[in-house]
Structures are given as structure tokens and as C-alpha cells.
Amino acid sequence: MKISRTIVPLLLGATLLVLGGCSSDQTKQSGIHNMNMNMDMSMEPIKVELHWSPEEVVVNQKVTFEAVVTQDNLAVDDAKEVLFEIVSKDDSEQKIEFKGKLVSDGIYQAEGTLTKEGQYIVTSHVTARTQHSMPNKELSVKP
């Protein structure tokens, strides 16, 4: 009876040590895996070039807005969001948004028309690879 009282706590302690060692090993492996995933992610900022065509826009004319997205001089094809926001310089309440879609290597486009002449600010909101970029340009819409 005295032997079993001594052996049971020893066996229990040995079991806990073995289980603790296994979970510690998994934690190390998980940490190494996460470190490798982070090494694949570039710290270089994404770059966004904003364009539209035609360059000279007329009221009610179809316009193609384009954002060229790169990182480390390579095309970014996995942007989570590309949104073109057009805001009137005369009335900031007057705002139009067009959602961009991937059409080619790193090139996102959206089409739309502007129904009023005036000066606008076009901002491309691009969210990609844990980063957000929002370059803007001035657009003049003629009658």
C-alpha cells in the first residue's frame, strides 16, 4: 500500500512533464512557422499610380479610372479593396465612388460617368498586404 502511494504521484509528475514538453515543442514550431510567414511579407510600401482615360473628361462621357499597384517593383494582384472616390471641389457633399476590379497584372479599373462640369479630386483607396494607400489627383470635367 505504501509503494502505490509513492508511485502514483511520481507517475503523475512524469506524465505532466512529458505532456508539458510536447506542448512546449508545438509552441516553438508554431512560432517558427509564424516567423517564416512574416518573412515572406515585404515591409516595402505598396505604390499606387492613379490614371484615367480619356485624360480630358467631358460631362456624361464614360471614364475609365485606373490604379496600378506594385510592391518591390512587382505587380500586386491580391488587393483587398480598390475604390475610386470622386469628390467635387465646390461641394464636398457631392461624392461618387466606383469599385475597382483587377483587369491585368497589378492593374485595377472602374468605369463611370460624371454628370456635372467642375473641378474634382479623385482619390484611389487601395488596401493591400496590411497597407493602405490613397493617392489623389485633380480632375477637370468640361461641359
Side-chain angles (χ1 to χ4, degrees):
M1 184 85 49
K2 197 170 191 174
I3 294 174
S4 66
R5 283 188 178 173
T6 307
I7 292 176
V8 169
L10 287 174
L11 286 175
L12 182 59
T15 303
L16 289 174
L17 281 173
V18 169
L19 289 176
C22 289
S23 69
S24 163
D25 206 27
Q26 286 177 339
T27 303
K28 286 179 188 172
Q29 286 179 354
S30 176
I32 289 169
H33 177 69
N34 288 338
M35 190 170 51
N36 287 339
M37 283 180 50
N38 291 337
M39 290 173 82
D40 291 342
M41 197 68 110
S42 174
M43 295 305 291
E44 184 74 23
I46 59 171
K47 292 181 183 171
V48 180
E49 294 177 36
L50 174 60
H51 310 279
W52 53 80
S53 68
E55 288 185 30
E56 291 189 22
V57 178
V58 177
V59 172
N60 294 322
Q61 178 183 33
K62 187 187 289 187
V63 182
T64 301
F65 297 94
E66 181 177 278
V68 179
V69 185
T70 59
Q71 185 180 43
D72 286 329
N73 295 317
L74 299 173
V76 172
D77 293 339
D78 58 351
K80 291 184 188 227
E81 179 184 48
V82 176
L83 186 70
F84 298 95
E85 176 186 53
I86 298 96
V87 179
S88 170
K89 287 184 79 174
D90 297 328
D91 178 10
S92 62
E93 295 293 316
Q94 186 180 344
K95 177 171 77 170
I96 305 168
E97 294 180 345
F98 301 110
K99 188 173 182 158
K101 297 192 184 227
L102 181 67
V103 295
S104 185
D105 291 341
I107 300 173
Y108 297 81
Q109 291 182 345
E111 289 184 343
T113 57
L114 299 168
T115 58
K116 294 184 180 177
E117 69 177 286
Q119 298 296 317
Y120 294 85
I121 298 295
V122 179
T123 305
S124 62
H125 296 271
V126 177
T127 304
R129 302 180 180 178
T130 71
Q131 298 180 32
H132 187 77
S133 179
M134 41 192 276
N136 58 50
K137 283 180 149 179
E138 193 169 313
L139 168 66
S140 180
V141 177
K142 298 180 180 181

